[in-house]
Amino acid sequence: MDVNSIDIENNDQKTHINDTADNNDNINLNDKSNDATTGSDTDIEQPNNDTESTEKSDNEEDMDDADTDDDDEDDDEDDDDEDENPPLLKYTRITKLPQNFFQRDSISACHFYDNIFLFGTHSGLLHITYPDFTTIRTLKCHRSSILSIDTDGSYFITGSIDGTVVIGSIENESDIIAFDFKRPINSVVLDNDYKNSKTFLSGGMAGDVILSQRNWLGNRVDTILIPKHSSKGSSSSSFSVLKQPILGIFKLNDVLIWINNEGIIFLDIPTRTTLLTLSLKDYLQTDGYDKEKDLPIDLFKPYVHHLENSRIIIGWCNNIWSFKVTSSNSNSRKKRHQTSRTSSSSSQPRLDNKRFNATTTNSNIGSILSSAASSFRGTPEQTVELEYHFKISMLLSGIASFKDDQVMCLGFDIIHSDFTEEKMEIKLKSLPPQLKIFDLTTSDEIYQDEIVCKNFQNLSLNDYHLGKFIPPNDDGGNPPQYFLISSSDAIKIQEFKLKDHYDWYIEKNEFGKAWDIGNYAVSPKERFQVGLKYIDKLIHSIAVSNPNKSAAMSVSTAAPTTHNTISEKISSIFEQAYNGSKEVNDEELNEFIKDNWSRIISKFLDFGKIDLIVNKVPQEPKLDTTIYDSILDYYLDNGNSLKGINEFIEILEKWSKYSCFSTNYFEEKLEHKIELHNELEISYRNAVILLYLHEQRYSKAIIHMIKTNDQRIFDILSTHNLLTQFLDQIINIILLPYFRNNIENDTSKINNLSNDEIEAVFSDSIQLIASNRNRISISKLIKRFQKFPNLSRILFVILRRLSKVDPQLITQYETELIGLYIKFDKPNLLQVLKTKSNYDIEKVIELCSKEENLYNELIFLWGKIGETKKALSLIIDELKDPNLAIDFVKSWGDSELWEFMIQYSWNKPAFITALLEYPDEYNETYIKVIKGMRNDVEIPSLSKTVGKITRENFLSLKVNKNIYQIVDDETTGYAIDFLKLTQKGKIFQNNDDDGIGL
């Protein structure tokens, strides 16, 4: 159908910003006192972002609480909000809009694109702005309300209730044209490549979806789209043959969507084939639609939004549908389209700010003409499927994708009493709109806010518009922005960012939560200042919980678990702040941190609660010495119990390696307390030992270590060669290992221990003496032990060790050593007597003679001095061991001693028998013994012994005779051979020149 073009009025004058705009028009989602007297009971408090005022652009202002009296609430009311979570969204009123947006005219349609925003009004004006709402230009497009806007970034298109469509260039004001379709236009879609194709779609009250294109003569040619049904989609016979008004036209890649009162149609552009037909009547009937109870959905405007390149969300009345577009041959078919960022418009919503840029001609709606003219239409390569459908408890005036399969919905809560079938209208005025977020997969309502706009009492459902815009960014990191536009107001909606959460927590005095997230939101110094506020709040809570300071001064009182958590939090705040200052090399911040550490510690000292924080007092950064001194003084002066002084020592031990306190001051103070000799004396000594060791003043430390039985003394004396300075205390030092396990210090039982037990108990002492053997006098050591007879076994073990490691050193003390062997180690005495040679034999013989059963030792000693007869007599008389006696005589090889043994044994049968049985080379012993035997002595088994001797002599004689015969025979043979040799002659040949020869 041909329609004549009409002229368009162009308003070249740009609308300026209203300088008199109310710059303090803040909205409170709880308080409707700005514009209304009644409203919803929902209370959702919105943040006051005063801290961001320097970061916001001039065209925005925060929507703060109108009732400033709330700021004066006491701390108890603040505590009630401790568990309150920050809101999901924040709202900012836009003030930099053309002045006549809200004063002379109201917005009827809007569209948000990458680089431009477009706003249509009820008077037919079109405002074109940059994304920051700076006006590009304003022009008069229509005589009445603009109902639909679309753009490709270079051209725009508008459709109006006056039946006209206007298309113009954004940059070239003269490039503009209008078309009159004679019937109200509800929706328009501009081709992606309009500059070349000059193609667009429109639809409205005429009931047709019209594809319009300018031919080569410049005339418009219209084609009414009648889809071909495909077996892949679903068509419904319930669609009326009569034309129904087109409520909306939308496009996603190769899919064209239009909606009328009958339902929703999805069209495949390349094949002009219906992919899916959703009959509103049939669908709602199967979904339990009740005409008398449910709302007349066909009276409402549909909204379409693209979640992604293959998903479509449709909101209509109180229904939400989710559709998925799937390619049926994705492996063989190249992707035709590429996606960009999200945009949305109340009249023509899309996922992307930019259109889906085509890589093939089929992406353009002009390709419908090619497929319509072709006699062959291919099979669609994609399908559309319904994923989800659910009803919500609100009437929609706009939708936009949010995140994670969530959809943001703007509208009004349904109140059925407002709907009367007779009047066929819904009364929504005087109610503020609701903003809700739903999960598409579960249909659950996730979030809800009540938005109080200006003049909301006089606005209704179609007076509100919801759009989505993602600012361009190379890395795609900009968060999306949502815009709520009404005929009286414009509000930017944004998801709460980290900095917003931070500011919200600050406003609510929840400094701890603000600190937790502040690391990525603010500078280290600003975050630390918030941390200090949180710490002061914690300290105040401690003080309030225990106002009795005297009771709090008791360091023995265990801190509750919550207090331990408080100390951890305080320490974490300071530690992170200090690490942050080091990273940025901020010396000023570093000093600020140290000053506040000192201040906080002083507060805990004043409250008597230093035990809650003492384990967190830092060594880096190192605070002023007076702080550490004050803490130590607190524990030393108030620790009047063992537990208290032990806490002092524990802190002292922890801090000693850092040299952070006045060591000399506490050494003098502890020495003074030691002189009092009270029940804490040992603890004071332990403390001063710790200090002296840290200062490497070992000589002073050892004095106290002896008193406290400190076992570390052995390492110190050995490492630093200090034993010679404490020889007067050497006995006490040696006894330290014993006192470690014997509290009563009773040494009377030491000699009752075995040598192995002494070796084990006093191993450190013995090793100390052995390692210092060349620095101490062994004679003095022996003399000191001689004063304590009950410690003689210790001396024995020490001297025994020295004799092994340095025999030469102990040579002159062998007599004392052997004397100790006689007392404590008789089994090894004989071996020592044999290996040692510098002892006093007579003294040792005297000592051995006093002891019983030391015969072997005496025999050895008598033999060693030549008193062999005495030794032999001892063997015969005491040991009565004939074999030992014989061996003893043989070892000396003395014939006189042998005669003595024979004579001494004549009256001893056992010895006579042994001598007779003793082998004798010449049998002299037999003869002497037998001759000297007394006749009155009875020899057991004498006959057997004599018979044995006789047999042995006979055998010996026979052997000797045989040997003689063998020798004789061999001698005779050698003699004969010799005679034969002597009888032989020799012939000599003489070859001399004289011829003489034999």
Side-chain angles (χ1 to χ4, degrees), residues 160-207:
S160 172
I161 197 172
D162 65 4
T164 60
V165 172
V166 174
I167 302 175
S169 171
I170 293 175
E171 296 182 354
N172 186 1
E173 298 181 3
S174 61
D175 185 3
I176 191 167
I177 190 171
F179 304 98
D180 190 355
F181 287 87
K182 307 300 183 181
R183 296 289 297 274
I185 301 298
N186 291 331
S187 185
V188 290
V189 174
L190 196 66
D191 186 63
N192 292 351
D193 190 23
Y194 176 79
K195 182 178 181 180
N196 296 316
S197 70
K198 303 300 181 181
T199 305
F200 65 94
L201 287 170
S202 63
M205 299 304 294

Side-chain angles (χ1 to χ4, degrees), residues 802-869:
L802 294 177
S803 68
K804 293 178 180 179
V805 299
D806 194 351
Q808 189 66 29
L809 178 66
I810 209 70
T811 299
Q812 55 182 324
Y813 308 109
E814 287 181 357
T815 302
E816 288 82 357
L817 175 62
I818 292 173
L820 293 171
Y821 264 100
I822 293 172
K823 290 182 65 176
F824 303 115
D825 194 7
K826 290 183 177 66
N828 293 314
L829 175 60
L830 181 59
Q831 182 63 28
V832 173
L833 292 174
K834 290 179 180 181
T835 56
K836 304 296 181 182
S837 59
N838 293 300
Y839 51 86
D840 186 342
I841 296 180
E842 294 181 357
K843 177 67 174 177
V844 173
I845 291 175
E846 180 183 352
L847 293 174
C848 291
S849 300
K850 295 178 181 180
E851 299 289 332
E852 296 180 357
N853 301 321
L854 294 180
Y855 304 121
N856 290 326
E857 288 79 2
L858 286 171
I859 290 169
F860 173 78
L861 292 171
W862 285 120
K864 188 171 183 178
I865 61 176
E867 296 288 343
T868 54
K869 292 181 179 180

